[in-house]
Amino acid sequence: MNPNLRSDVPSSGVPSGMSMVLIGTYPPTECGIATYTANLRSGLDRAGVACRVVRVLERGDTRDTQPPIDPNDVLVDWWALDDPEGPERCARTASRFDAVLLQHEFGIYPGPDGVDVVRFAEACRAPLFTVLHTALRTPTSSQREIIEGIARQSVLVIVHSAVARDRLLAAHDIDASQVVVVPHGATPNLSGPPALTSPDPIVLTWGLLGPGKGIERGIRAIAQLRRQGLDARYVIAGETHPNVRKREGEAYRDGLCELASELGVGDLVEFRGTYASWAELRAVVRSADVVLLPYDTRDQVTSGVLVEAIAAGKPVVATAFPHAVELSRTGAVEVVGHDDDDAIAHILARILDDDQLRDRMRAAARAESAQYAWPIIGTRIRTLVETSIPGVALRHPLAAG
């Protein structure tokens, strides 16, 4: 736990009242952590916390020549990968706040395995809370040292699932009392008109597109359903991941289109690559009869898309990655083996043919979704911080009292 105190740290540039700063990638960066940071900031704001952001920049991200200096700006500093003084400078900025919420994912911070994040944690003078978005079953020695280095400086380590907590404690020397589970948040999406209508049922996969998403499995399952006499429209929504596009353009998407044509389902497979707004994507999600997550990964302990699907009240079919297996207990998620296209086709057919099963899965998703709303997540984080730091009460600067 970080022993440093902040009583001698100047508070210039910090909004009045108790406050929190988030460290992580942030829009317009396109990645899951950036989206999470933005949504969590909104949830904390709704929970009455004055919340600002130190934005971690990916390669190619643009920035002003100087960090923002207006205390009313959401962004209070930048952390560029090519800035050798970034960890210490951003730590000084973060130390002006009452609490720091660090988002950790391997690959977003500078240095081998993102080791510079440990320099930040060691230099931070404010109470540090760390959200781990990945918990590896078998981390390398370097990865283990990084996670344990961050944990030593943190008041609490937050993970999004019970399986993530179990894996973290099994692979690292971390005090179990220091690790708490707070679910990944989601935006309720249970009402409103759909964006798509179709005479055929709609199976939806969405998110940034690239190798590892297992879309090939989905296409092969749709082809098998057609051979069995059931046509389902397979909508694949989302842009190609920016890093994939930089390396290989749209070769991956083009290959998927060729696969669909070869299997005789080119007319059923639809790519929707761009959206005018988050609201439009939400309307597409509302259109789905079933959400399919055919991911290659066997280690994903947190899936934002999975919880967003449940927040939309949708039945989910997923390969057996850990977060999906954990949420299968709710009745909203059916899991299948990673190498079993037949099983994907079989469970899709069962759900699409059986109105009662589909309704039970929808009801289970709706029941589970109640705990995922971002203001609820923000309140849980606020409570954790307040109860972990004696004498600190996080308040929005405009809140009464």
Side-chain angles (χ1 to χ4, degrees):
M1 177 172 162
N2 191 340
N4 294 324
L5 301 176
R6 65 179 304 280
S7 57
D8 60 343
V9 177
S11 60
S12 59
V14 179
S16 59
M18 300 299 178
S19 55
M20 181 184 290
V21 63
L22 306 183
I23 316 296
T25 54
Y26 194 76
T29 298
E30 296 179 87
C31 73
I33 304 300
T35 301
Y36 179 92
T37 304
N39 286 331
L40 180 57
R41 190 195 70 80
S42 175
L44 285 164
D45 185 72
R46 293 281 299 277
V49 179
C51 202
R52 299 293 184 263
V53 175
V54 171
R55 182 184 173 208
V56 178
L57 301 179
E58 293 190 329
R59 286 182 177 83
D61 281 341
T62 58
R63 66 184 189 274
D64 295 336
T65 55
Q66 296 293 330
I69 57 174
D70 183 346
N72 294 316
D73 283 346
V74 169
L75 298 180
V76 293
D77 211 336
W78 311 97
W79 185 349
L81 297 184
D82 59 356
D83 181 0
E85 303 302 322
E88 288 76 18
R89 193 197 67 254
C90 290
R92 288 193 296 271
T93 298
S95 296
R96 299 173 185 148
F97 290 76
D98 295 291
V100 180
L101 194 59
L102 174 71
Q103 311 302 310
H104 182 267
E105 177 69 271
F106 289 109
I108 68 172
Y109 294 100
D113 286 326
V115 68
D116 284 5
V117 71
V118 180
R119 286 172 52 194
F120 168 87
E122 291 174 344
C124 185
R125 302 288 302 278
L128 179 67
F129 297 79
T130 296
V131 180
L132 295 181
H133 292 266
T134 294
L136 299 175
R137 185 194 300 272
T138 54
T140 65
S141 58
S142 171
Q143 291 167 336
R144 184 179 296 108
E145 289 173 5
I146 290 169
I147 296 300
E148 293 176 6
I150 298 170
R152 281 194 297 271
Q153 303 301 321
S154 299
V155 179
L156 291 176
V157 175
I158 298 168
V159 293
H160 294 313
S161 62
V163 67
R165 184 178 189 274
D166 291 344
R167 285 193 174 190
L168 185 69
L169 295 175
H172 298 85
D173 182 14
I174 300 176
D175 186 341
S177 66
Q178 191 182 1
V179 183
V180 296
V181 177
V182 176
H184 193 295
T187 305
N189 191 18
L190 299 173
S191 62
L196 309 175
T197 58
S198 173
D200 299 318
I202 295 175
V203 177
L204 172 67
T205 298
W206 89 90
L208 292 174
L209 190 62
K213 289 300 179 72
I215 307 298
E216 300 89 343
R217 292 189 184 93
I219 293 173
R220 289 194 290 266
I222 294 298
Q224 184 165 327
L225 290 179
R226 169 164 273 183
R227 290 193 296 271
Q228 295 171 359
L230 174 61
D231 276 358
R233 180 178 173 187
Y234 187 28
V235 177
I236 302 160
E239 297 181 0
T240 299
H241 194 290
N243 293 338
V244 174
R245 191 164 53 239
K246 289 175 187 176
R247 292 194 307 267
E248 56 190 66
E250 296 293 345
Y252 180 67
R253 186 187 300 266
D254 293 343
L256 294 175
C257 292
E258 291 175 8
L259 176 63
S261 296
E262 290 170 3
L263 295 177
V265 290
D267 59 319
L268 295 178
V269 177
E270 175 184 347
F271 290 88
R272 299 176 66 88
T274 59
Y275 295 93
S277 67
W278 169 233
E280 184 177 353
L281 177 56
R282 282 163 52 79
V284 171
V285 175
R286 290 196 297 270
S287 308
D289 294 283
V290 180
V291 171
L292 174 61
L293 305 182
Y295 300 162
D296 291 350
T297 178
R298 299 169 188 263
D299 286 321
Q300 190 163 350
V301 294
T302 301
S303 170
V305 171
L306 174 58
V307 294
E308 291 286 358
I310 291 175
K314 298 302 178 182
V316 178
V317 176
T319 47
F321 59 88
H323 200 191
V325 172
E326 181 171 327
L327 291 186
S328 66
R329 61 168 174 74
T330 66
V333 182
E334 291 279 355
V335 296
V336 299
H338 282 80
D339 301 314
D340 197 343
D341 299 342
D342 291 344
I344 294 177
H346 174 72
I347 191 60
L348 284 176
R350 277 187 55 210
I351 295 171
L352 295 175
D353 283 340
D354 188 336
D355 292 343
Q356 291 185 340
L357 172 60
R358 194 164 63 252
D359 288 344
R360 285 197 302 271
M361 294 182 72
R362 286 171 175 165
R366 285 173 174 264
E368 178 70 10
S369 70
Q371 66 175 310
Y372 296 147
W374 284 109
I376 292 175
I377 301 300
T379 298
R380 291 185 65 170
I381 298 282
R382 171 181 174 156
T383 300
L384 282 173
V385 171
E386 288 182 334
T387 56
S388 301
I389 310 175
V392 171
L394 298 173
R395 295 180 291 124
H396 192 284
L398 300 182

